[in-house]
Amino acid sequence: MAFWSSTSVFTSKVPRKILFMFTLSLSVTYLFYSLMSCYNSLQFPLQENYVYQGRLVTEETTFVTLREKLYSTSPQGYLDEELIEVSAAEKTVAISTVKDNVETEQRTLDWVRNQAAPTKTAAVYQSPALEREHQEFSTTDNELRVNCTSDYGVKKLPQAIIIGVKKGGTRALLEALRVHPDIRAVGNEPHFFDRNYEKGLDWYRDLMPSTLEGQITMEKTPSYFVTSHAPKRIHTMARDIKLIIVVRNPVTRAISDYTQTLSKKPEIPTFEVLAFKNRTLGLIDASWSALRIGIYALHLETWMQYFPLAQMHFVSGERLIVDPAGEMGKVQDFLGLKRIVTDKHFYFNKTKGFPCLKKPEDSSTPRCLGKSKGRTHPKIDPDVIRRLHKFFKPFNMMFYQMTGQNFEWELEEGSDSRGSQN
């Protein structure tokens, strides 16, 4: 009874507002300690996740991820890894501030859960705006993806091109050059500057093999030499590029060209019929491509409007057969390379009528060009051969003067009608 009376006295002396505030503060304090207890129970697993993620997002693993990204051959795979890499960079910063506020910690926990999800799931949750931003600012990344392969090296635009001429010996030259360790060349003819120019330089570069520092990227497309717009297009791509032209007696070259066409289309007229507009009057059909290609001075004049002679090297198709090592030495000098391809790399095949490649360090069978090379020429009327030599002579003399080289094709008159090989 005394207790209740003392309580009544106490409550009567203390204002009700103060009593209310005191009770409220006790309740808030209790709630605060309850929350802290829950928070502490969650803190340890979170720290364990943070330590685990810390092991993942290290400098070493970042370089591993970057390497995988650069050497990825799948555009979609590259995009997924790129998006995850951006997310990882952003969330790593969030992890560093985990002890400062609970909100950041919660975002970190969410990120840890996201990282446990598959790669495709992470890509799905990227916003369209982020995807557009990635596309707008990924020019360099796209170039890296185009230029790098899973093997080694970087894809580059060519520093040297064999631009001509058809049936002059360009394939033999290219195969010999590919023996050199500092040359990487495309096997097939890209035909970029005459047929595929609208596909763009990225498409062209993607055709190139990967090269290391110090290696030269090359390609060969003989039709470039007779394509009027090729010089300007190549100059636009690389004005300091080196150009290689393999030339051959235009009469022999024309017969070789015809022989190739004849093997594919046996129904075509004879060489004599195609070479003349009117054989009785001696009117030669210079519009026939087999003959027009051989007017070298006409085509060279176009190239000299864009490139100096110092950036051009002319290979004799005839000497490439009788002295391949000598011609290869000159080409290697022109490209600024050490003379590695020598006479030890060649073996003359009497059946084919031209040299074959071999490895000097072993005794393996020499590697010769395919069946499309070395066909026997059809026998041509000697009078037609004589008239063609007479037709080409002034153009040849002009070509000698322009290049400063005498290829001595006039000494070969009479040899083209005896069924030689191409």
Side-chain angles (χ1 to χ4, degrees), residues 142-331:
N142 287 334
E143 291 176 355
L144 288 173
R145 187 174 70 249
V146 168
N147 295 347
C148 298
T149 67
S150 57
D151 295 324
Y152 61 88
V154 178
K155 290 189 176 184
K156 301 177 182 178
L157 293 171
Q159 293 96 52
I161 303 179
I162 301 175
I163 60 172
V165 296
K166 180 184 178 184
K167 307 307 297 179
T170 57
R171 173 56 61 181
L173 176 63
L174 181 69
E175 292 305 316
L177 283 172
R178 294 174 77 177
V179 174
H180 200 292
D182 290 334
I183 292 179
R184 299 296 310 280
V186 186
N188 297 326
E189 298 174 1
H191 284 281
F192 175 66
F193 296 103
D194 59 348
R195 301 178 188 173
N196 299 300
Y197 193 67
E198 72 283 351
K199 295 182 179 179
L201 288 176
D202 289 338
W203 176 87
Y204 183 47
R205 177 172 45 222
D206 196 45
L207 298 179
M208 300 299 124
S210 300
T211 54
L212 298 174
E213 186 68 26
Q215 289 184 319
I216 295 177
T217 303
M218 289 189 65
E219 71 115 318
K220 78 108 177 171
T221 304
S223 55
Y224 290 162
F225 187 67
V226 297
T227 302
S228 59
H229 44 261
K232 182 178 180 180
R233 290 175 173 179
I234 294 178
H235 184 267
T236 301
M237 178 191 72
R239 61 181 62 193
D240 59 345
I241 197 168
K242 293 185 177 182
L243 307 172
I244 300 175
I245 306 98
V246 186
V247 291
R248 185 183 183 186
N249 185 324
V251 178
T252 310
R253 197 221 65 81
I255 298 173
S256 179
D257 197 340
Y258 171 79
T259 303
Q260 183 182 54
T261 305
L262 183 65
S263 67
K264 300 175 181 178
K265 300 178 180 180
E267 71 280 2
I268 63 173
T270 64
F271 181 88
E272 292 84 351
V273 171
L274 295 172
F276 289 90
K277 289 183 177 180
N278 188 318
R279 187 174 178 182
T280 303
L281 299 177
L283 297 178
I284 292 176
D285 189 0
S287 64
W288 183 33
S289 61
L291 298 181
R292 185 172 179 80
I293 291 174
I295 309 177
Y296 303 138
L298 176 66
H299 308 299
L300 180 59
E301 187 177 21
T302 305
W303 286 91
M304 292 181 67
Q305 295 176 12
Y306 295 91
F307 298 97
L309 279 176
Q311 290 178 226
M312 303 183 196
H313 180 74
F314 299 89
V315 177
S316 168
E318 289 79 15
R319 289 197 289 270
L320 188 60
I321 294 176
V322 299
D323 183 22
E327 286 300 301
M328 285 301 303
K330 297 175 185 177
V331 175

Side-chain angles (χ1 to χ4, degrees), residues 26 64 111 141 232 255 258 306 333 369 373 389 398 404:
L26 288 176
V64 171
W111 173 74
D141 292 335
K232 182 178 180 180
I255 298 173
Y258 171 79
Y306 295 91
D333 292 344
L369 298 178
K373 310 297 180 182
H389 274 292
M398 188 181 302

